[in-house]
């Protein structure tokens, strides 16, 4: 090998090593970024943040006065009532706080029961100089508390649904609360049989479990039930389950329709088969 060839080979090897080192550095950086993206660089700010654990057990008051500005009125003007305490906070699957559950606990002779209050309706009224000194007030009347619907928790909902059967003798399900980026709840009046037939059906965890095989209509042409084709291969061995439209959550985005049901593929395959 000549000196010239040696130098050329050596330079090529060095360039190859440099390229490999650069690629490794970029890959390492991308790997690090990809594996830390889920974690927030956060510092608790008492002015805007709340710990759910601190809200549990907090008293809730109702008043017909608007105190959304967070200012505590003079004591003689406080026309509010203590209705109970927060004992549960319900989250959506997307991580938002949906409602707080308040145990009204025999308030003003009302029987002990649970009511749900949307988080957006809570007013945090300052009770001191510190950010963590506040009253939780809801703008409502005593009559409104009395007429508030009782919260149906997970166990109560399951017990009630377990007692609801359709014409096929199957137990009805509750439509899941599902959100998906870019999708909106479908306008049921705008949905057509062409849009729904063949649409994929997903479980509440976004797993594909089947498709809408056909729609069953009422005598006046309205959509009554949807037949979900579950399992099988190329149309063979499918299990057909007819469900009411009330059991489905339907999302739409520019003509793309996604149908959700609160069940797994195995659970639907265990349901009575539609023989229509």
């Amino acid at each position: 090998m000549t000196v010239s060839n040696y130098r050329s080979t050596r330079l090529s090897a060095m360039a190859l090593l440099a390229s490999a080192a650069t690629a490794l550095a970029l890959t390492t950086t991308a790997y690090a970024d990809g594996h830390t993206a889920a974690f927030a660089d956060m510092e608790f700010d008492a002015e805007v943040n709340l710990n759910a654990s601190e809200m549990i057990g907090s008293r809730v008051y109702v008043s017909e006065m608007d105190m959304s500005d967070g200012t505590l009125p003079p004591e003689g003007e406080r026309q509010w009532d203590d209705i109970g305490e927060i004992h549960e906070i319900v989250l959506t699957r997307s991580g938002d706080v949906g409602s707080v559950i308040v145990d009204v606990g025999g308030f003003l002779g009302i029987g002990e029961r649970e009511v749900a209050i949307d988080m957006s309706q809570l007013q945090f009224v300052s009770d001191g100089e510190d950010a963590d000194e506040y009253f939780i007030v809801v703008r409502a009347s005593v009559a409104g508390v009395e007429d508030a619907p009782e919260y149906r928790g997970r166990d109560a909902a399951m017990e009630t649904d377990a007692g609801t059967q359709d014409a096929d003798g199957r137990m009805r399900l509750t439509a899941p609360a599902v959100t998906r980026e870019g999708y909106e709840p479908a306008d049921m009046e705008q949905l057509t049989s062409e849009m729904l037939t063949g649409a994929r059906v997903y479980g509440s965890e976004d797993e594909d479990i089947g498709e809408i095989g056909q729609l069953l209509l009422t005598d006046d042409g309205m959509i009554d039930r949807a037949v979900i084709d579950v399992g099988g291969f190329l149309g063979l061995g499918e299990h057909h389950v007819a469900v009411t439209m009330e059991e489905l959550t339907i999302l739409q985005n520019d003509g793309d329709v996604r149908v959700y049901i609160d069940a797994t593929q195995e659970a639907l395959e265990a349901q009575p088969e539609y023989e229509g």
Side-chain angles (χ1 to χ4, degrees), residues 15 19 43 90 95 100 113 128 133 142 154 184 212 234 264:
S19 298
E43 180 176 348
V90 180
V100 297
R113 61 197 181 97
E133 295 179 325
V142 172
R154 178 193 296 268
E184 298 291 339
I212 302 295
L234 297 179
T264 62

Side-chain angles (χ1 to χ4, degrees), residues 232-253:
F233 178 70
L234 297 179
L236 301 176
E238 290 179 333
H239 187 78
H240 309 290
V241 181
V243 302
T244 63
M245 300 305 292
E246 290 75 16
E247 297 172 75
L248 304 176
T249 295
I250 304 176
L251 304 182
Q252 188 176 16
N253 178 21

Side-chain angles (χ1 to χ4, degrees), residues 112-171:
E112 186 174 50
R113 61 197 181 97
E114 299 173 335
V115 298
I117 301 176
D118 191 280
M119 185 67 185
S120 64
Q121 299 302 308
L122 301 186
Q123 301 175 354
F124 293 85
V125 181
S126 177
D127 185 35
E129 296 182 357
D130 294 336
D132 59 355
E133 295 179 325
Y134 54 79
F135 290 103
I136 299 178
V137 184
V138 177
R139 192 175 184 184
S141 64
V142 172
V145 178
E146 294 175 346
D147 295 336
E150 185 167 3
Y151 169 65
R152 294 174 63 243
R154 178 193 296 268
D155 294 339
M158 291 178 63
E159 290 175 3
T160 301
D161 292 338
T164 304
Q165 295 184 346
D166 61 16
D168 295 329
R170 56 172 293 276
M171 301 300 179

Side-chain angles (χ1 to χ4, degrees), residues 14-236:
M14 291 176 65
L16 180 61
L17 289 173
S19 298
T22 301
L24 178 61
L26 291 174
T27 302
T28 303
T29 301
Y31 179 87
D33 290 344
H35 284 71
T36 60
F39 302 97
D41 183 10
M42 177 183 177
E43 180 176 348
F44 185 88
D45 183 351
E47 296 291 339
V48 296
N49 299 131
L50 290 169
N51 286 327
S53 59
E54 294 175 356
M55 289 188 66
I56 300 295
S58 296
R59 306 303 297 180
V60 178
Y61 302 84
V62 294
S63 173
E64 296 187 56
M65 299 176 62
D66 182 10
M67 288 175 283
S68 57
D69 62 358
T71 302
L72 185 69
E75 190 163 349
E77 298 180 11
R78 297 183 201 171
Q79 299 175 358
W80 56 20
D81 295 283
D82 182 342
I83 63 171
E85 68 178 30
I86 298 173
H87 75 92
E88 186 61 274
I89 298 176
V90 180
L91 307 178
T92 67
R93 289 183 179 269
S94 61
D96 298 323
V97 177
S99 300
V100 297
I101 308 305
V102 179
D103 186 348
V104 296
F107 162 71
L108 294 180
I110 303 174
E112 186 174 50
R113 61 197 181 97
E114 299 173 335
V115 298
I117 301 176
D118 191 280
M119 185 67 185
S120 64
Q121 299 302 308
L122 301 186
Q123 301 175 354
F124 293 85
V125 181
S126 177
D127 185 35
E129 296 182 357
D130 294 336
D132 59 355
E133 295 179 325
Y134 54 79
F135 290 103
I136 299 178
V137 184
V138 177
R139 192 175 184 184
S141 64
V142 172
V145 178
E146 294 175 346
D147 295 336
E150 185 167 3
Y151 169 65
R152 294 174 63 243
R154 178 193 296 268
D155 294 339
M158 291 178 63
E159 290 175 3
T160 301
D161 292 338
T164 304
Q165 295 184 346
D166 61 16
D168 295 329
R170 56 172 293 276
M171 301 300 179
R172 291 190 183 182
L173 304 169
T174 301
V178 178
T179 59
R180 184 179 176 84
E181 184 176 356
Y183 285 75
E184 298 291 339
D187 184 346
M188 300 302 291
E189 295 183 358
Q190 300 298 320
L191 288 176
T192 65
S193 58
E194 289 77 12
M195 296 168 66
L196 283 174
T197 303
R200 301 305 302 177
V201 179
Y202 302 87
S204 56
E205 298 296 332
D206 221 31
E207 71 278 20
D208 190 324
I209 58 178
E211 70 175 9
I212 302 295
Q214 63 174 306
L215 297 172
L216 307 179
L217 307 180
T218 62
D219 293 337
D220 57 0
M222 301 298 292
I223 299 176
D224 179 37
R225 291 184 292 167
V227 179
I228 303 177
D229 297 339
V230 186
F233 178 70
L234 297 179
L236 301 176

Side-chain angles (χ1 to χ4, degrees), residues 260-271:
Y260 289 85
I261 189 167
D262 192 14
T264 62
Q265 177 176 326
E266 292 74 16
L268 285 182
E269 288 175 336
Q271 294 268 6

